[in-house]
Amino acid sequence: MERLSSWFVSNYLQPNKDKTLEVMVLGNSSYRYDLEFAGTPVDIKDHLKILGICLDNKVYFKEHKCHVEESIW
C-alpha cells in the first residue's frame, strides 16, 4: 500500500477515496487484514461492483445474478 501511495504522489494523482478504498480477498481466508491507504482505513468486502459487474470473493457471480434478476423484473 505504501508503494501504491507513493506512485500516486510521484505521478501527481489523488485517488477518489469514495471509490478506491475497497478491497476484496479472493477465496476462503480466515486472516483478518488491517489495511490503510494514505492514512485512511480500507474496507474489506465480500463482493465488489467493478465496471458494472458484481463480483463476489468466491468468483461465483452470485451478487451479479441477483442484481440482474432484480433489474429484469
mmCIF file of all heavy atoms in Angstrom, residues 14-52:
data_model
loop_
_atom_site.group_PDB
_atom_site.id
_atom_site.type_symbol
_atom_site.label_atom_id
_atom_site.label_comp_id
_atom_site.label_asym_id
_atom_site.label_seq_id
_atom_site.Cartn_x
_atom_site.Cartn_y
_atom_site.Cartn_z
ATOM 1 N N GLN A 14 -4.349 11.902 -7.234
ATOM 2 C CA GLN A 14 -5.000 11.740 -5.944
ATOM 3 C C GLN A 14 -6.179 10.802 -6.148
ATOM 4 O O GLN A 14 -7.081 11.090 -6.943
ATOM 5 C CB GLN A 14 -5.478 13.084 -5.417
ATOM 6 C CG GLN A 14 -6.062 12.998 -4.043
ATOM 7 C CD GLN A 14 -6.411 14.363 -3.490
ATOM 8 O OE1 GLN A 14 -6.237 15.382 -4.157
ATOM 9 N NE2 GLN A 14 -6.910 14.394 -2.283
ATOM 10 N N PRO A 15 -6.200 9.667 -5.452
ATOM 11 C CA PRO A 15 -7.296 8.716 -5.643
ATOM 12 C C PRO A 15 -8.602 9.248 -5.072
ATOM 13 O O PRO A 15 -8.605 10.010 -4.101
ATOM 14 C CB PRO A 15 -6.839 7.475 -4.886
ATOM 15 C CG PRO A 15 -5.911 7.998 -3.853
ATOM 16 C CD PRO A 15 -5.248 9.201 -4.465
ATOM 17 N N ASN A 16 -9.711 8.856 -5.667
ATOM 18 C CA ASN A 16 -11.030 9.187 -5.143
ATOM 19 C C ASN A 16 -11.319 8.203 -4.013
ATOM 20 O O ASN A 16 -11.586 7.033 -4.247
ATOM 21 C CB ASN A 16 -12.073 9.065 -6.254
ATOM 22 C CG ASN A 16 -13.449 9.465 -5.784
ATOM 23 O OD1 ASN A 16 -13.736 9.472 -4.596
ATOM 24 N ND2 ASN A 16 -14.311 9.794 -6.732
ATOM 25 N N LYS A 17 -11.253 8.667 -2.781
ATOM 26 C CA LYS A 17 -11.381 7.789 -1.625
ATOM 27 C C LYS A 17 -12.744 7.115 -1.536
ATOM 28 O O LYS A 17 -12.871 6.045 -0.974
ATOM 29 C CB LYS A 17 -11.071 8.552 -0.344
ATOM 30 C CG LYS A 17 -9.633 8.967 -0.257
ATOM 31 C CD LYS A 17 -9.343 9.714 1.019
ATOM 32 C CE LYS A 17 -7.879 10.113 1.043
ATOM 33 N NZ LYS A 17 -7.527 10.837 2.261
ATOM 34 N N ASP A 18 -13.785 7.730 -2.111
ATOM 35 C CA ASP A 18 -15.115 7.114 -2.082
ATOM 36 C C ASP A 18 -15.204 5.904 -3.000
ATOM 37 O O ASP A 18 -16.038 5.034 -2.808
ATOM 38 C CB ASP A 18 -16.181 8.128 -2.500
ATOM 39 C CG ASP A 18 -16.314 9.270 -1.505
ATOM 40 O OD1 ASP A 18 -15.986 9.047 -0.315
ATOM 41 O OD2 ASP A 18 -16.726 10.363 -1.910
ATOM 42 N N LYS A 19 -14.348 5.847 -4.010
ATOM 43 C CA LYS A 19 -14.426 4.763 -4.993
ATOM 44 C C LYS A 19 -13.293 3.752 -4.889
ATOM 45 O O LYS A 19 -13.437 2.628 -5.328
ATOM 46 C CB LYS A 19 -14.419 5.342 -6.405
ATOM 47 C CG LYS A 19 -15.638 6.157 -6.730
ATOM 48 C CD LYS A 19 -15.593 6.645 -8.142
ATOM 49 C CE LYS A 19 -16.835 7.444 -8.481
ATOM 50 N NZ LYS A 19 -16.819 7.907 -9.872
ATOM 51 N N THR A 20 -12.167 4.150 -4.337
ATOM 52 C CA THR A 20 -11.000 3.281 -4.415
ATOM 53 C C THR A 20 -10.614 2.606 -3.114
ATOM 54 O O THR A 20 -9.716 1.788 -3.116
ATOM 55 C CB THR A 20 -9.781 4.073 -4.912
ATOM 56 O OG1 THR A 20 -9.562 5.172 -4.029
ATOM 57 C CG2 THR A 20 -9.976 4.564 -6.312
ATOM 58 N N LEU A 21 -11.253 2.907 -2.027
ATOM 59 C CA LEU A 21 -10.815 2.345 -0.761
ATOM 60 C C LEU A 21 -11.633 1.132 -0.347
ATOM 61 O O LEU A 21 -12.088 1.004 0.785
ATOM 62 C CB LEU A 21 -10.814 3.408 0.331
ATOM 63 C CG LEU A 21 -9.771 4.496 0.115
ATOM 64 C CD1 LEU A 21 -9.797 5.506 1.236
ATOM 65 C CD2 LEU A 21 -8.382 3.907 -0.016
ATOM 66 N N GLU A 22 -11.827 0.227 -1.278
ATOM 67 C CA GLU A 22 -12.476 -1.050 -1.020
ATOM 68 C C GLU A 22 -11.625 -2.142 -1.653
ATOM 69 O O GLU A 22 -11.117 -1.978 -2.749
ATOM 70 C CB GLU A 22 -13.869 -1.112 -1.624
ATOM 71 C CG GLU A 22 -14.844 -0.127 -1.059
ATOM 72 C CD GLU A 22 -16.196 -0.218 -1.727
ATOM 73 O OE1 GLU A 22 -16.291 -0.757 -2.837
ATOM 74 O OE2 GLU A 22 -17.150 0.253 -1.123
ATOM 75 N N VAL A 23 -11.467 -3.245 -0.942
ATOM 76 C CA VAL A 23 -10.741 -4.393 -1.479
ATOM 77 C C VAL A 23 -11.544 -5.652 -1.199
ATOM 78 O O VAL A 23 -12.454 -5.667 -0.364
ATOM 79 C CB VAL A 23 -9.325 -4.536 -0.878
ATOM 80 C CG1 VAL A 23 -8.461 -3.356 -1.221
ATOM 81 C CG2 VAL A 23 -9.370 -4.766 0.607
ATOM 82 N N MET A 24 -11.197 -6.711 -1.917
ATOM 83 C CA MET A 24 -11.840 -7.993 -1.730
ATOM 84 C C MET A 24 -10.754 -9.059 -1.724
ATOM 85 O O MET A 24 -9.865 -9.045 -2.574
ATOM 86 C CB MET A 24 -12.836 -8.243 -2.860
ATOM 87 C CG MET A 24 -13.516 -9.570 -2.801
ATOM 88 S SD MET A 24 -14.737 -9.788 -4.103
ATOM 89 C CE MET A 24 -13.751 -9.584 -5.570
ATOM 90 N N VAL A 25 -10.816 -9.954 -0.760
ATOM 91 C CA VAL A 25 -9.886 -11.072 -0.691
ATOM 92 C C VAL A 25 -10.545 -12.241 -1.399
ATOM 93 O O VAL A 25 -11.651 -12.652 -1.041
ATOM 94 C CB VAL A 25 -9.572 -11.441 0.773
ATOM 95 C CG1 VAL A 25 -8.644 -12.631 0.836
ATOM 96 C CG2 VAL A 25 -8.970 -10.246 1.499
ATOM 97 N N LEU A 26 -9.892 -12.772 -2.424
ATOM 98 C CA LEU A 26 -10.460 -13.883 -3.182
ATOM 99 C C LEU A 26 -10.232 -15.196 -2.454
ATOM 100 O O LEU A 26 -9.153 -15.442 -1.920
ATOM 101 C CB LEU A 26 -9.833 -13.958 -4.570
ATOM 102 C CG LEU A 26 -10.137 -12.783 -5.490
ATOM 103 C CD1 LEU A 26 -9.373 -12.922 -6.787
ATOM 104 C CD2 LEU A 26 -11.620 -12.688 -5.762
ATOM 105 N N GLY A 27 -11.254 -16.046 -2.446
ATOM 106 C CA GLY A 27 -11.159 -17.361 -1.818
ATOM 107 C C GLY A 27 -11.478 -17.313 -0.335
ATOM 108 O O GLY A 27 -11.898 -16.300 0.207
ATOM 109 N N ASN A 28 -11.284 -18.451 0.308
ATOM 110 C CA ASN A 28 -11.540 -18.557 1.746
ATOM 111 C C ASN A 28 -10.325 -18.067 2.513
ATOM 112 O O ASN A 28 -9.211 -18.510 2.264
ATOM 113 C CB ASN A 28 -11.843 -20.002 2.132
ATOM 114 C CG ASN A 28 -13.126 -20.492 1.527
ATOM 115 O OD1 ASN A 28 -14.051 -19.717 1.322
ATOM 116 N ND2 ASN A 28 -13.200 -21.765 1.229
ATOM 117 N N SER A 29 -10.532 -17.170 3.429
ATOM 118 C CA SER A 29 -9.447 -16.660 4.245
ATOM 119 C C SER A 29 -9.987 -16.304 5.618
ATOM 120 O O SER A 29 -10.949 -15.554 5.736
ATOM 121 C CB SER A 29 -8.809 -15.427 3.606
ATOM 122 O OG SER A 29 -7.804 -14.921 4.445
ATOM 123 N N SER A 30 -9.372 -16.856 6.636
ATOM 124 C CA SER A 30 -9.776 -16.516 7.993
ATOM 125 C C SER A 30 -8.882 -15.417 8.568
ATOM 126 O O SER A 30 -9.121 -14.936 9.666
ATOM 127 C CB SER A 30 -9.720 -17.758 8.887
ATOM 128 O OG SER A 30 -8.403 -18.275 8.918
ATOM 129 N N TYR A 31 -7.864 -15.018 7.806
ATOM 130 C CA TYR A 31 -6.955 -13.974 8.267
ATOM 131 C C TYR A 31 -7.663 -12.626 8.235
ATOM 132 O O TYR A 31 -8.369 -12.308 7.277
ATOM 133 C CB TYR A 31 -5.703 -13.924 7.385
ATOM 134 C CG TYR A 31 -4.680 -12.934 7.861
ATOM 135 C CD1 TYR A 31 -3.851 -13.225 8.924
ATOM 136 C CD2 TYR A 31 -4.561 -11.688 7.253
ATOM 137 C CE1 TYR A 31 -2.916 -12.305 9.379
ATOM 138 C CE2 TYR A 31 -3.627 -10.762 7.696
ATOM 139 C CZ TYR A 31 -2.811 -11.078 8.753
ATOM 140 O OH TYR A 31 -1.894 -10.172 9.194
ATOM 141 N N ARG A 32 -7.492 -11.841 9.269
ATOM 142 C CA ARG A 32 -8.121 -10.511 9.344
ATOM 143 C C ARG A 32 -7.110 -9.464 8.887
ATOM 144 O O ARG A 32 -6.121 -9.205 9.575
ATOM 145 C CB ARG A 32 -8.563 -10.246 10.780
ATOM 146 C CG ARG A 32 -9.328 -8.982 10.950
ATOM 147 C CD ARG A 32 -10.726 -9.133 10.383
ATOM 148 N NE ARG A 32 -11.338 -7.825 10.375
ATOM 149 C CZ ARG A 32 -12.155 -7.419 9.441
ATOM 150 N NH1 ARG A 32 -12.462 -8.222 8.461
ATOM 151 N NH2 ARG A 32 -12.667 -6.229 9.476
ATOM 152 N N TYR A 33 -7.331 -8.892 7.731
ATOM 153 C CA TYR A 33 -6.436 -7.889 7.168
ATOM 154 C C TYR A 33 -6.741 -6.516 7.762
ATOM 155 O O TYR A 33 -7.902 -6.171 7.972
ATOM 156 C CB TYR A 33 -6.591 -7.820 5.646
ATOM 157 C CG TYR A 33 -6.144 -9.082 4.957
ATOM 158 C CD1 TYR A 33 -7.042 -10.100 4.682
ATOM 159 C CD2 TYR A 33 -4.826 -9.248 4.585
ATOM 160 C CE1 TYR A 33 -6.632 -11.260 4.050
ATOM 161 C CE2 TYR A 33 -4.395 -10.398 3.949
ATOM 162 C CZ TYR A 33 -5.306 -11.397 3.689
ATOM 163 O OH TYR A 33 -4.890 -12.548 3.076
ATOM 164 N N ASP A 34 -5.711 -5.758 8.007
ATOM 165 C CA ASP A 34 -5.844 -4.398 8.518
ATOM 166 C C ASP A 34 -5.075 -3.489 7.554
ATOM 167 O O ASP A 34 -3.869 -3.321 7.681
ATOM 168 C CB ASP A 34 -5.281 -4.307 9.936
ATOM 169 C CG ASP A 34 -5.533 -2.959 10.583
ATOM 170 O OD1 ASP A 34 -6.534 -2.308 10.218
ATOM 171 O OD2 ASP A 34 -4.729 -2.563 11.425
ATOM 172 N N LEU A 35 -5.774 -2.937 6.566
ATOM 173 C CA LEU A 35 -5.122 -2.170 5.508
ATOM 174 C C LEU A 35 -5.428 -0.686 5.633
ATOM 175 O O LEU A 35 -6.539 -0.300 6.013
ATOM 176 C CB LEU A 35 -5.592 -2.663 4.138
ATOM 177 C CG LEU A 35 -5.324 -4.129 3.811
ATOM 178 C CD1 LEU A 35 -5.974 -4.488 2.501
ATOM 179 C CD2 LEU A 35 -3.842 -4.401 3.766
ATOM 180 N N GLU A 36 -4.445 0.122 5.274
ATOM 181 C CA GLU A 36 -4.602 1.574 5.207
ATOM 182 C C GLU A 36 -4.005 2.071 3.908
ATOM 183 O O GLU A 36 -3.023 1.521 3.426
ATOM 184 C CB GLU A 36 -3.847 2.250 6.354
ATOM 185 C CG GLU A 36 -4.551 2.259 7.655
ATOM 186 C CD GLU A 36 -3.827 3.118 8.676
ATOM 187 O OE1 GLU A 36 -2.835 3.795 8.317
ATOM 188 O OE2 GLU A 36 -4.250 3.102 9.831
ATOM 189 N N PHE A 37 -4.612 3.115 3.359
ATOM 190 C CA PHE A 37 -4.075 3.778 2.177
ATOM 191 C C PHE A 37 -4.031 5.261 2.478
ATOM 192 O O PHE A 37 -5.073 5.870 2.708
ATOM 193 C CB PHE A 37 -4.920 3.498 0.936
ATOM 194 C CG PHE A 37 -4.371 4.129 -0.292
ATOM 195 C CD1 PHE A 37 -3.295 3.568 -0.948
ATOM 196 C CD2 PHE A 37 -4.911 5.292 -0.787
ATOM 197 C CE1 PHE A 37 -2.771 4.150 -2.078
ATOM 198 C CE2 PHE A 37 -4.403 5.889 -1.924
ATOM 199 C CZ PHE A 37 -3.329 5.304 -2.568
ATOM 200 N N ALA A 38 -2.839 5.816 2.508
ATOM 201 C CA ALA A 38 -2.628 7.243 2.790
ATOM 202 C C ALA A 38 -3.293 7.645 4.106
ATOM 203 O O ALA A 38 -3.926 8.691 4.206
ATOM 204 C CB ALA A 38 -3.116 8.097 1.629
ATOM 205 N N GLY A 39 -3.202 6.772 5.102
ATOM 206 C CA GLY A 39 -3.751 7.070 6.417
ATOM 207 C C GLY A 39 -5.234 6.807 6.576
ATOM 208 O O GLY A 39 -5.795 7.022 7.637
ATOM 209 N N THR A 40 -5.894 6.333 5.536
ATOM 210 C CA THR A 40 -7.327 6.050 5.586
ATOM 211 C C THR A 40 -7.539 4.541 5.574
ATOM 212 O O THR A 40 -6.968 3.847 4.734
ATOM 213 C CB THR A 40 -8.041 6.669 4.364
ATOM 214 O OG1 THR A 40 -7.744 8.071 4.325
ATOM 215 C CG2 THR A 40 -9.537 6.475 4.436
ATOM 216 N N PRO A 41 -8.349 4.005 6.495
ATOM 217 C CA PRO A 41 -8.591 2.557 6.507
ATOM 218 C C PRO A 41 -9.307 2.098 5.240
ATOM 219 O O PRO A 41 -10.151 2.800 4.691
ATOM 220 C CB PRO A 41 -9.467 2.333 7.732
ATOM 221 C CG PRO A 41 -9.769 3.651 8.307
ATOM 222 C CD PRO A 41 -9.035 4.701 7.563
ATOM 223 N N VAL A 42 -8.956 0.913 4.770
ATOM 224 C CA VAL A 42 -9.528 0.338 3.556
ATOM 225 C C VAL A 42 -10.565 -0.703 3.963
ATOM 226 O O VAL A 42 -10.297 -1.562 4.806
ATOM 227 C CB VAL A 42 -8.432 -0.316 2.694
ATOM 228 C CG1 VAL A 42 -9.020 -0.971 1.468
ATOM 229 C CG2 VAL A 42 -7.382 0.716 2.302
ATOM 230 N N ASP A 43 -11.780 -0.630 3.377
ATOM 231 C CA ASP A 43 -12.852 -1.588 3.665
ATOM 232 C C ASP A 43 -12.600 -2.891 2.925
ATOM 233 O O ASP A 43 -12.326 -2.886 1.721
ATOM 234 C CB ASP A 43 -14.213 -1.037 3.224
ATOM 235 C CG ASP A 43 -14.673 0.146 4.050
ATOM 236 O OD1 ASP A 43 -14.271 0.224 5.221
ATOM 237 O OD2 ASP A 43 -15.431 0.966 3.521
ATOM 238 N N ILE A 44 -12.738 -4.011 3.631
ATOM 239 C CA ILE A 44 -12.626 -5.332 3.013
ATOM 240 C C ILE A 44 -14.048 -5.851 2.826
ATOM 241 O O ILE A 44 -14.804 -5.983 3.785
ATOM 242 C CB ILE A 44 -11.782 -6.278 3.867
ATOM 243 C CG1 ILE A 44 -10.369 -5.714 3.990
ATOM 244 C CG2 ILE A 44 -11.764 -7.675 3.263
ATOM 245 C CD1 ILE A 44 -9.468 -6.462 4.912
ATOM 246 N N LYS A 45 -14.412 -6.122 1.585
ATOM 247 C CA LYS A 45 -15.782 -6.501 1.241
ATOM 248 C C LYS A 45 -15.852 -7.963 0.796
ATOM 249 O O LYS A 45 -14.864 -8.541 0.368
ATOM 250 C CB LYS A 45 -16.293 -5.634 0.075
ATOM 251 C CG LYS A 45 -16.224 -4.150 0.312
ATOM 252 C CD LYS A 45 -17.354 -3.721 1.177
ATOM 253 C CE LYS A 45 -17.368 -2.208 1.276
ATOM 254 N NZ LYS A 45 -18.546 -1.698 1.861
ATOM 255 N N ASP A 46 -17.066 -8.554 0.874
ATOM 256 C CA ASP A 46 -17.295 -9.902 0.341
ATOM 257 C C ASP A 46 -17.562 -9.863 -1.153
ATOM 258 O O ASP A 46 -17.398 -10.861 -1.845
ATOM 259 C CB ASP A 46 -18.487 -10.559 1.030
ATOM 260 C CG ASP A 46 -18.190 -10.900 2.473
ATOM 261 O OD1 ASP A 46 -17.003 -11.099 2.801
ATOM 262 O OD2 ASP A 46 -19.142 -10.978 3.267
ATOM 263 N N HIS A 47 -18.028 -8.697 -1.636
ATOM 264 C CA HIS A 47 -18.271 -8.532 -3.070
ATOM 265 C C HIS A 47 -18.045 -7.068 -3.448
ATOM 266 O O HIS A 47 -18.181 -6.178 -2.620
ATOM 267 C CB HIS A 47 -19.683 -8.986 -3.450
ATOM 268 C CG HIS A 47 -20.772 -8.177 -2.815
ATOM 269 N ND1 HIS A 47 -21.216 -8.403 -1.538
ATOM 270 C CD2 HIS A 47 -21.476 -7.125 -3.274
ATOM 271 C CE1 HIS A 47 -22.163 -7.536 -1.247
ATOM 272 N NE2 HIS A 47 -22.341 -6.740 -2.283
ATOM 273 N N LEU A 48 -17.677 -6.855 -4.698
ATOM 274 C CA LEU A 48 -17.449 -5.511 -5.224
ATOM 275 C C LEU A 48 -18.138 -5.372 -6.574
ATOM 276 O O LEU A 48 -18.306 -6.348 -7.299
ATOM 277 C CB LEU A 48 -15.946 -5.248 -5.426
ATOM 278 C CG LEU A 48 -15.065 -5.192 -4.203
ATOM 279 C CD1 LEU A 48 -13.609 -5.032 -4.630
ATOM 280 C CD2 LEU A 48 -15.458 -4.046 -3.301
ATOM 281 N N LYS A 49 -18.505 -4.156 -6.899
ATOM 282 C CA LYS A 49 -19.041 -3.873 -8.220
ATOM 283 C C LYS A 49 -17.943 -3.176 -9.013
ATOM 284 O O LYS A 49 -17.497 -2.082 -8.658
ATOM 285 C CB LYS A 49 -20.277 -2.982 -8.126
ATOM 286 C CG LYS A 49 -20.983 -2.812 -9.443
ATOM 287 C CD LYS A 49 -22.309 -2.098 -9.259
ATOM 288 C CE LYS A 49 -23.051 -2.039 -10.566
ATOM 289 N NZ LYS A 49 -24.351 -1.385 -10.408
ATOM 290 N N ILE A 50 -17.477 -3.852 -10.063
ATOM 291 C CA ILE A 50 -16.376 -3.346 -10.885
ATOM 292 C C ILE A 50 -16.864 -3.267 -12.325
ATOM 293 O O ILE A 50 -17.220 -4.288 -12.919
ATOM 294 C CB ILE A 50 -15.150 -4.269 -10.788
ATOM 295 C CG1 ILE A 50 -14.718 -4.423 -9.334
ATOM 296 C CG2 ILE A 50 -14.016 -3.756 -11.656
ATOM 297 C CD1 ILE A 50 -13.680 -5.489 -9.107
ATOM 298 N N LEU A 51 -16.909 -2.055 -12.875
ATOM 299 C CA LEU A 51 -17.357 -1.826 -14.253
ATOM 300 C C LEU A 51 -18.719 -2.456 -14.522
ATOM 301 O O LEU A 51 -18.966 -3.054 -15.558
ATOM 302 C CB LEU A 51 -16.327 -2.351 -15.247
ATOM 303 C CG LEU A 51 -14.944 -1.693 -15.175
ATOM 304 C CD1 LEU A 51 -13.983 -2.406 -16.116
ATOM 305 C CD2 LEU A 51 -15.015 -0.228 -15.504
ATOM 306 N N GLY A 52 -19.617 -2.358 -13.547
ATOM 307 C CA GLY A 52 -20.977 -2.846 -13.725
ATOM 308 C C GLY A 52 -21.170 -4.319 -13.421
ATOM 309 O O GLY A 52 -22.288 -4.818 -13.489
#
